[in-house]
Amino acid sequence: MTETKKRKVAWGITGAGDRIDEYIHTMEDIRRLFEDSVEIQVFLSKAAEIVVKYYGLEAELRQNFAKVTVEVNSNSPFLAAWMQMRKYEFLLIAPATSNSVAKIANSIGDTMLTNAASMSLKAFVPVYIVPTDYEEKTVATKLPNGKDMKLRIRKEDAKNVRKLETMTDVHVLAEPQKIREIFREWFIKT
């Protein structure tokens, strides 16, 4: 019996706590849905590692994904090169902090994920981004202790998201649920 080689997706997580459990649960559902054909490899920024631990989600993440790697610096692990060599179908950054969005929008690649995004785009590899600060408004986010915290999404942050939307091969998604649609488009034959 011949085993079909799975296609790979690089999932980058930045240091955003807002709805982090929703992102992880969405990706767990997608992993189960596509487990026969797609391998999702997880890449945590240094800040994401702290946030995932703070929200008590590290064990769940590592249980559900075979490969979870933490950033050492902008070139380690060497995700940027792997994206250029097309080891992955696409790069998904979800959630993407306003800091990461601003860097990608302005071609600054000084972290593992922003560098990988920059190198992906140079190599014509699509980048999907789910920004935490999609549009200017006030939101309530849940803290690890269950309390709500009110946050302002600033016009400057929303403006960087609009800038991303104009970039070639960058696809901005408004919310975590939209990630399912991307996987269906890429991996379900009609």
Side-chain angles (χ1 to χ4, degrees):
M1 187 183 330
T2 328
E3 191 175 310
T4 307
K5 186 175 180 181
K6 291 184 180 184
R7 295 163 70 187
K8 294 180 182 172
V9 170
W11 171 29
I13 303 174
T14 66
D18 186 37
R19 298 167 65 181
I20 188 65
D21 58 336
E22 185 178 347
Y23 284 95
I24 290 173
H25 296 143
T26 296
M27 293 305 289
E28 288 170 357
D29 291 344
I30 291 169
R31 183 198 53 79
R32 282 188 290 275
L33 246 156
F34 294 93
E35 67 186 338
D36 293 334
S37 57
V38 180
E39 180 184 347
I40 300 169
Q41 295 183 355
V42 182
F43 295 88
L44 298 171
S45 70
K46 291 175 187 178
E49 179 185 34
I50 294 166
V51 168
V52 167
K53 285 179 181 177
Y54 188 63
Y55 278 81
L57 296 165
E58 182 183 25
E60 181 178 345
L61 187 64
R62 291 186 184 279
Q63 262 181 329
N64 283 283
F65 297 91
K67 184 170 182 180
V68 177
T69 308
V70 178
E71 170 186 27
V72 175
N73 60 46
S74 62
N75 278 317
S76 182
F78 209 14
L79 182 58
W82 299 331
M83 294 308 303
Q84 286 187 312
M85 293 185 292
R86 297 188 174 275
K87 181 176 177 181
Y88 301 95
E89 301 290 322
F90 58 84
L91 173 62
L92 168 67
I93 302 176
T97 61
S98 58
N99 186 42
S100 293
V101 166
K103 288 179 178 187
I104 295 166
N106 291 288
S107 301
I108 299 169
D110 65 349
T111 68
M112 175 188 60
L113 293 174
T114 59
N115 189 26
S118 180
M119 294 303 112
S120 294
L121 296 173
K122 287 182 177 186
F124 306 94
V125 176
V127 177
Y128 293 88
I129 300 174
V130 190
T132 55
D133 298 345
Y134 184 75
E135 61 189 352
E136 185 180 356
K137 63 182 178 179
T138 301
V139 297
T141 187
K142 192 102 22 220
L143 296 171
N145 63 8
K147 291 184 180 179
D148 285 337
M149 180 174 65
K150 195 164 91 169
L151 292 174
R152 175 187 312 120
I153 298 176
R154 303 172 318 134
K155 66 180 174 199
E156 295 83 2
D157 297 323
K159 184 177 176 183
N160 283 324
V161 172
R162 303 293 78 81
K163 188 173 179 180
L164 280 183
E165 292 174 328
T166 68
M167 296 172 69
T168 303
D169 288 329
V170 173
H171 308 274
V172 177
L173 309 175
E175 56 190 353
Q177 295 78 17
K178 299 287 184 185
I179 300 169
R180 286 182 178 87
E181 295 171 20
I182 301 310
F183 275 78
R184 284 187 193 107
E185 287 174 21
W186 273 83
F187 303 114
I188 294 180
K189 296 175 185 170
T190 54

